[in-house]
Each structure stands twice: as C-alpha cells, then as structure tokens.
Amino acid sequence: MTLAKAALIALTAATALTGTAQMAFADGELNLYSSRHYDTDEKLYGDFEEQTGIKINRIEGNADELIERLKSEGANSPADVLLTVDAGRIWRAESADLFAAVESEELEKRIPAALQHPENHWFGFSTRARMIFYSKDRVSEPPQTYADLADPKYKGQICTRSSSNIYMLSLLASRIAHDGAEVATQFAQGLKDNLAREPQGGDTDQLRGLVSGECDIAVANSYYFARAMRTEVKDLSADIDQIGWVFPDQDGNGTHVNVSAAGLLKNAPNKENAVKFLEYLASDSAQHYFAAGNDEFPVVDGVEKSASVIKLGEFKADELNLSELGTNQAKAQEIYNTVGYK
C-alpha cells in the first residue's frame, strides 16, 4: 500500500468518526474540503451561514491527503470548494485537473491579479511573507535580499526547513522565475553552504534557533513570528525582543509572498453556493477574520490588519503571479537535490 493511499484511508476513517463526512447535495448546502484549522475560522463560517442561509459541511485534513481524496472520489465527489495554504499545494490540485473556472466580477475586482490563477481556477484570500529573521545581539548587518543569504560572510549562521518543505520549494521556485535555473542553483548552493545545522523542524523551530543561539539568521513565514508576538509560544515569545526582521528585496522584486487560497471544484454539486462562498471570502468582514485568524495579511485593499501584523510594518511584495511557484516546483526540488540540500 502506498503512503498516499494509506493517508487517504486514514483521513476517510477520521472524518467518518467525527461525522463531518456527511456531505449533502442540496440547494442550501456547501461542502468544503479545508486544510485550514484556525479557531477564528469558526466565526468566518458562521457569518456566511447566517448571511446566506447556506449550511457549510466541512472535511478538514492535510492538503495533500485532501487532494488524493478528491482524485479518488472523481466525478462522485461531494466537495464544492478546496481551501488550502501555499500556492504550491493549490497548484498540485490544479495539476490534477480538480478545478473549474469561476466567472465573478466581484472576485476579479477585489483580488489582486498576482493572487489569481490566470484562468480563475483559484484565488488567494490572505498572504504571508517569507522573511529573514536575525539575532539582534549577534548580527550587526543582516541580509537585505534573498541573494544575500548565499553570501559566504554568513557561513555557519543560517537555519532553514528541509528542502522538500513546500515553503522552501516555493521560495526557490520564485528565484527560478525571476533569475533562471542557473542563478537559482548558485543561490541554493550558497544557502546550503551557510547553514548552521542540518535543515529540520518547522518555521517556529527556526525562530527558536535564534533564541537558543543555534543559529544567527533564519528564514520563516511572517505569521509564525507575528503569532509569537500576539500569544505565548513556548521557548520563543519570552525572548522575542532579541529577534530583528527584514522584508527582503525591497529595492528589487519585493518580498516573496504566498497564500491561503481556494477554488471551485469541477465536480461540485453546489456550484452557485460555492461561488457565493468564494465571493464572501473577498468581503471586508471575511477578509479580516480570514487573515487575522492566522496572523496573515488580508489581500483586499483597505481591510484592517490585525495588531500583530501591523507591528511588522509595511513592505513591497513581489508581484510574481503565484501560479509560477507551482510551475517551477519540480525544478526547485531538482536543484535542491543537485546541491545536496537535505
């Protein structure tokens, strides 16, 4: 049995036990497959149900497991919308031909072009920035660009996640899109040479490495740091004032950003309700709940940011269309493998 199949069976069993697998084919229903799991999303879904009278039935799980489930269900799938994080994951769903195009003036108007699939198969509803963090005590001249991370002067100072992590793949995929494979390979090699330890753990672990002194510089998504400023995160929040941050490439392409995104599934039995839900996610009130729940940036202009995100400051974001991250994902992994990045 393959790992993917085993994961699919486990997910199916888990959802059956919780009762969330009772999907409906009805005018007043919306069947949502989601890899988001934030408490504030309950308010988000509750408001939609109150405003529209449409009941949301949810199955939650790992994004890759949900994609495998959708592929297995095929034309018989009850799912209307897939909601997940990272453009690389939403691209995996797109590559499996799971989405249908959405015609919506509201979404076209409110969602920035860089956060829309070119054929409107999915839309980004919140963003997170891939930032550089550093020890204020030990680093007097922190890297200002992603390319700087490969500078030999930072040898033995940097902590990152594994190369197979979707965030690392998306970052290198953006480098490929901007600079080409050759330059991206040089970057990956230089970054590997500058590591303080073998790649390991999640983004919070990279930030903890700054506090413990295991590394001086770390690469992590903005929301992990913002969350530690807002609420207690073990072995991080108490010493968070020791950490400085940089939005990279402000004089160039801008800081690499990624998304929480959703799309209409091509076999959706409740297509009209699905489009209503996607449009709702672009509303001002939903944008605030959707982004604030995970300390992310709302994508619609004028929507209030959460206090933790405001503390990070303003920055110029890379406007590369995020579909490029998926297109270059396989090449990114190939490059990491070539340079021996674990």
Side-chain angles (χ1 to χ4, degrees):
M1 181 184 298
T2 66
L3 289 175
K5 187 173 182 180
L8 174 61
I9 292 171
L11 176 65
T12 303
T15 53
L17 286 172
T18 61
T20 55
Q22 297 177 355
M23 292 282 145
F25 297 80
D27 290 343
E29 306 279 345
L30 171 75
N31 301 323
L32 174 67
Y33 283 16
S34 173
S35 66
R36 282 176 61 97
H37 47 82
Y38 311 116
D39 292 342
T40 50
D41 283 359
E42 297 299 327
K43 174 66 172 173
L44 183 80
Y45 301 138
D47 281 0
F48 175 76
E49 292 179 330
E50 184 176 342
Q51 290 178 27
T52 65
I54 297 169
K55 178 185 177 183
I56 298 177
N57 305 305
R58 270 184 291 161
I59 285 183
E60 296 182 344
N62 174 278
D64 291 330
E65 292 170 354
L66 291 173
I67 291 168
E68 288 302 314
R69 180 181 182 128
L70 286 163
K71 288 161 64 176
S72 178
E73 290 172 341
N76 295 318
S77 176
D80 297 307
V81 171
L82 175 65
L83 171 60
T84 187
V85 296
D86 195 278
R89 290 192 179 103
I90 206 79
W91 175 82
R92 290 175 184 174
E94 167 65 19
S95 297
D97 194 27
L98 296 178
F99 291 125
V102 174
E103 293 185 9
S104 168
E105 292 183 4
E106 188 72 7
L107 291 172
E108 289 274 7
K109 178 177 65 176
R110 293 179 67 80
I111 304 298
L115 305 181
Q116 299 182 28
H117 180 270
E119 297 177 4
N120 289 355
H121 287 186
W122 54 261
F123 298 85
F125 293 101
S126 65
T127 61
R128 66 284 297 273
R130 197 76 179 150
M131 297 174 63
I132 295 172
F133 297 91
Y134 63 95
S135 167
K136 292 178 181 178
D137 293 337
R138 299 188 299 277
V139 180
S140 59
E141 297 181 2
Q144 297 298 308
T145 69
Y146 297 112
D148 286 346
L149 293 169
D151 190 318
K153 74 178 182 180
Y154 298 117
K155 188 173 180 65
Q157 297 187 52
I158 299 174
C159 286
T160 75
R161 298 177 78 142
S162 165
S163 69
S164 61
N165 173 260
I166 195 68
Y167 302 149
M168 293 294 290
L169 289 171
S170 290
L171 176 59
L172 189 57
S174 72
R175 299 296 88 204
I176 295 169
H178 283 305
D179 305 321
E182 183 177 351
V183 174
T185 301
Q186 294 170 357
F187 165 76
Q189 182 67 66
L191 181 59
K192 173 184 175 292
D193 292 343
N194 287 343
L195 292 177
R197 65 183 183 191
E198 293 289 327
Q200 59 189 261
D203 278 16
T204 301
D205 296 309
Q206 315 314 316
L207 296 171
R208 287 180 176 133
L210 298 177
V211 172
S212 69
E214 193 169 0
C215 50
D216 300 327
I217 298 166
V219 180
N221 278 347
S222 54
Y223 67 92
Y224 292 97
F225 186 77
R227 180 186 303 158
M229 289 195 293
R230 175 178 57 84
T231 189
E232 182 64 27
V233 175
K234 184 181 178 182
D235 298 328
L236 178 57
S237 295
D239 299 301
I240 203 162
D241 288 344
Q242 299 177 15
I243 300 175
W245 63 88
V246 171
F247 286 106
D249 288 9
Q250 291 303 281
D251 293 329
N253 294 315
T255 298
H256 167 67
V257 296
N258 218 309
V259 289
S260 288
L264 167 68
L265 295 160
K266 70 175 185 179
N267 295 313
N270 305 297
K271 287 185 169 60
E272 185 176 337
N273 292 347
V275 174
K276 287 180 181 178
F277 178 69
L278 295 176
E279 291 177 340
Y280 163 75
L281 291 181
S283 68
D284 284 1
S285 61
Q287 275 284 290
H288 179 71
Y289 284 124
F290 194 88
N294 195 33
D295 300 281
E296 294 182 273
F297 301 95
V299 303
V300 174
D301 286 341
V303 174
E304 182 183 5
K305 301 180 181 71
S306 64
S308 61
V309 170
I310 290 173
K311 288 181 182 179
L312 293 175
E314 298 294 326
F315 70 101
K316 181 177 79 171
D318 189 352
E319 295 185 351
L320 177 74
N321 189 282
L322 297 189
S323 62
E324 296 274 2
L325 306 186
T327 302
N328 292 318
Q329 187 178 123
K331 186 63 178 178
Q333 187 65 74
E334 178 186 329
I335 289 173
Y336 279 134
N337 293 344
T338 297
V339 303
Y341 206 119
K342 293 184 179 180

